[in-house]
Amino acid sequence: MTLDELKNYGANVEEGMSRCMGNEALYLKLVTTIPGEQKFDMLKESIEEGNLDEAFESAHALKGVAGNLSLTPLYEPLVKITELLRARENTDYSELLEEIISEKDKLESII
């Protein structure tokens, strides 16, 4: 994976790198951990079980990581689902969940 591949994915690499003090190796290492993060499975399972409290915790954690690494395509749907879950909205989360998983899969494909 390269910085250019992440830029093509839609990541704001400059912003993410600045949070890693310009350390490219650290930034890339952190990005590679995202697709394997268990919180994605926890988010999906919690939503399927109707446990919105646990789903919120998972979404909020993922949003923080994606935001800190400036992984914009993943971050944006995580913001949306986090805010719905924060309000404990009784809604169909499947479309947002599919978007999140799709973006995670796209990221994984370049790693």
Side-chain angles (χ1 to χ4, degrees), residues 35-59:
E37 175 56 54
Q38 292 179 353
K39 295 279 186 197
F40 288 107
D41 291 335
M42 292 172 65
L43 174 62
K44 183 177 186 286
E45 291 168 12
S46 299
I47 287 173
E48 288 172 353
E49 294 169 0
N51 185 342
L52 300 185
D53 291 333
E54 189 174 296
F56 169 76
E57 294 299 324
S58 295

Side-chain angles (χ1 to χ4, degrees), residues 13-82:
V13 171
E14 292 78 17
E15 187 177 270
M17 286 275 294
S18 72
R19 290 193 180 98
C20 293
M21 296 178 278
N23 185 332
E24 182 177 338
L26 174 61
Y27 179 68
L28 293 175
K29 179 180 177 182
L30 291 172
V31 169
T32 62
T33 67
I34 301 301
E37 175 56 54
Q38 292 179 353
K39 295 279 186 197
F40 288 107
D41 291 335
M42 292 172 65
L43 174 62
K44 183 177 186 286
E45 291 168 12
S46 299
I47 287 173
E48 288 172 353
E49 294 169 0
N51 185 342
L52 300 185
D53 291 333
E54 189 174 296
F56 169 76
E57 294 299 324
S58 295
H60 191 262
L62 289 167
K63 179 188 85 155
V65 173
N68 283 329
L69 296 174
S70 300
L71 301 173
T72 308
L74 182 58
Y75 176 74
E76 290 175 350
L78 283 165
V79 169
K80 292 175 189 172
I81 202 168
T82 298

Side-chain angles (χ1 to χ4, degrees), residues 40 64 83 91 96 103 107 109:
F40 288 107
E83 292 312 309
T91 188
L96 277 172
E103 290 302 331
L107 179 62
S109 75

